[in-house]
Each structure stands twice: as structure tokens, then as C-alpha cells.
Amino acid sequence: MAAKMILSMDGAYIKEYPLSKERTMIGRKSTNDIVIDNLAVSGEHAAIITILHDSFLEDLDSTNGVIVNGATTKKHFLQNNDVIEIGRHTLKYVNDQVSKTSAAEFEKTMVMREPVKTAAPVVEVAKAATGFSQTQIIPSQSATAVREQAENSARPAVQQAVVQILTGPNAGKELELVKNLTTLGKPGLQVAVLARRPHGFFITHVEGTTFPLLNGQPLSEQPHQLKDHDLIELAGVKMEFYFKS
């Protein structure tokens, strides 16, 4: 059973919305997936990104903010029975699937800012025994974070892959894609997800009005499988995806 949001106001049930899309928009505009027609709600107030059985909520710089379980938040890894308050309306998150992802794991992300003239490093890479396998993020604003759980506990081995930065202050650095999901981009401009799945690696656009480029062509809203030596351009940074020999 797919996860869903149950919309209500002042305790009165209004409607249920299955989270069947990778990106579910919430806001006052009629173009949103979940429309809340109230002046306290921004045109595009928040978004829910769902990958496999995991979902997270992100406040899209709304005027009046988002409250989850009584606390104001900018981003939140959703768990069964979480209650989201937007104005006078509430959205209850219901997910019968047991996620193997913890909130702490969910916060791990990799963010690469577009080149800027500054002496302060934006991404600091901690070199491990296997290379650049661990990343410490020092963004100037909250990073979008997403996480994908394994599709199955018994799955075929996936070939090891690497992303190498080609332009910007971090040119030449490499990131081994050892996690199930790695987030790349600049929050508020462009963010994409690289998902490690049993049958390969996929890139999905998750934030921004313009789509990242893959080999010079814009991505669509659907996940796109990456091939050896594909060139990605994201948030002003060019990078190359390739498989380790």
C-alpha cells in the first residue's frame, strides 16, 4: 500500500492523497497536487519527495512556515503518523511500509555549489581509505536531503561508480557513489538525486525550475539511467559519471 496524506481542518476530514509521485506539491495554487485554498497558505508552500517507501517534507520558503509534530521545520524525514500543520489545515502522513532508513541517515547529503569567488570552501571532502567516500557539507543555507532505502535485502551487486567534478573550485575531486542515494546541487537553484539501484544508477531532478543537463540535453521529470562517462551539468557545475574498472 502506497503512503498517503490525510487532509483535515479543525479535526474534520477533507480528503486523502496517495503519494504516488516522486514530487508532490502542496499549496494554494490550483496547479499543486494537494491544494489548500486558504490565504495563510503560500502559492507553493511545501513539497513531499518520495523515493521507494521513503518520503521527506520540505518547506519551500513559505510565508507562514510548516509545523511537524508541533515543531517548525524546513525539512523533515516523514514517519508513520507524523502530523503536518499548514495554516489551519493538517496533513497526517500514513505509511504502512516499514522503512529501513533512519532520520540520521536521511540527513546525509552531498551538495556542490556553483562556482563562486570566495576563499571559504563550500565542500570539504574527508579522504577515506577507499578514496573520497565520506563528505562533510558546509553549505551557506539548508541543504535539501533525500534518502533511498534498498529495494530488497537480497539484491545483485551493483558495479562501483564515481562522479568526478570537472569545473569550479572543487574541480578534479571525486566522489564514490557508495550510498543508496546521493544528493547533488545547490538548494534553491537545482538539486538532483543519484540513486544506486539493483539494475544501475539513476539521476532524478528533485528541485529547481530548470532541469539539469545530461550530455547537453535537459532531463525530464522521470528518473534517467546513467551510462559510463555521461556528462552532467548541475547548478553551474559540470561533472562526469563513470564506472570504476
Side-chain angles (χ1 to χ4, degrees):
M1 179 180 176
K4 62 183 178 182
M5 305 300 297
I6 301 175
L7 178 66
S8 61
M9 185 177 74
D10 297 332
Y13 168 90
I14 297 175
K15 191 174 180 179
E16 292 185 7
Y17 298 88
L19 297 179
S20 54
K21 299 171 59 178
E22 288 206 2
R23 187 175 181 86
T24 301
M25 296 293 295
I26 305 169
R28 193 175 70 254
K29 291 182 180 178
S30 60
T31 52
N32 288 283
D33 301 293
I34 300 177
V35 178
I36 302 178
D37 188 11
N38 188 288
L39 292 177
V41 180
S42 298
E44 292 182 345
H45 198 104
I48 298 172
I49 296 175
T50 301
I51 299 179
L52 296 181
H53 302 309
D54 291 337
S55 298
F56 82 91
L57 171 76
E58 181 185 4
D59 178 15
L60 300 178
D61 295 323
S62 63
T63 301
N64 293 315
V66 176
I67 297 173
V68 180
N69 301 329
T72 302
T73 184
K74 294 294 291 182
K75 60 184 178 182
H76 178 77
F77 176 72
L78 289 168
Q79 300 182 65
N80 191 35
N81 293 324
D82 276 349
V83 176
I84 303 161
E85 296 178 51
I86 298 178
R88 294 178 57 194
H89 290 73
T90 61
L91 283 161
K92 184 177 181 180
Y93 176 72
V94 178
N95 187 358
D96 294 332
Q97 298 285 342
V98 178
S99 173
K100 297 179 182 179
T101 305
S102 69
E105 289 177 318
F106 177 81
E107 291 299 324
K108 295 178 181 177
T109 185
M110 159 98 181
V111 176
M112 284 178 291
R113 301 292 296 263
E114 61 182 339
V116 291
K117 294 180 180 180
T118 174
V122 176
V123 179
E124 177 182 326
V125 180
K127 191 171 183 180
T130 56
F132 297 104
S133 59
Q134 296 182 1
T135 308
Q136 179 183 1
I137 308 306
I138 316 174
S140 60
Q141 55 180 303
S142 297
T144 301
V146 291
R147 177 79 170 106
E148 180 185 50
Q149 71 173 37
E151 290 187 39
N152 211 295
S153 57
R155 61 182 186 179
V158 179
Q159 189 175 358
Q160 293 297 309
V162 172
V163 166
Q164 183 178 39
I165 311 305
L166 303 179
T167 62
N170 297 297
K173 292 183 178 180
E174 296 182 346
L175 173 70
E176 291 190 18
L177 302 177
V178 296
K179 302 294 184 181
N180 286 332
L181 189 142
T182 302
T183 308
L184 303 175
K186 178 183 177 181
L189 178 65
Q190 265 187 349
V191 176
V193 170
L194 298 186
R196 173 188 172 102
R197 295 180 178 175
H199 45 294
F201 289 83
F202 291 76
I203 183 170
T204 305
H205 171 75
V206 295
E207 182 183 339
T209 56
T210 58
F211 286 71
L213 300 181
L214 182 64
N215 300 321
Q217 298 298 316
L219 291 171
S220 67
E221 293 183 353
Q222 301 302 316
H224 186 95
Q225 187 166 10
L226 291 168
K227 298 178 181 178
D228 199 21
H229 298 296
D230 272 349
L231 295 177
I232 302 166
E233 186 170 347
L234 178 66
V237 177
K238 293 182 180 180
M239 60 197 82
E240 180 183 4
F241 169 89
Y242 66 91
F243 290 106
K244 294 181 67 176
S245 57

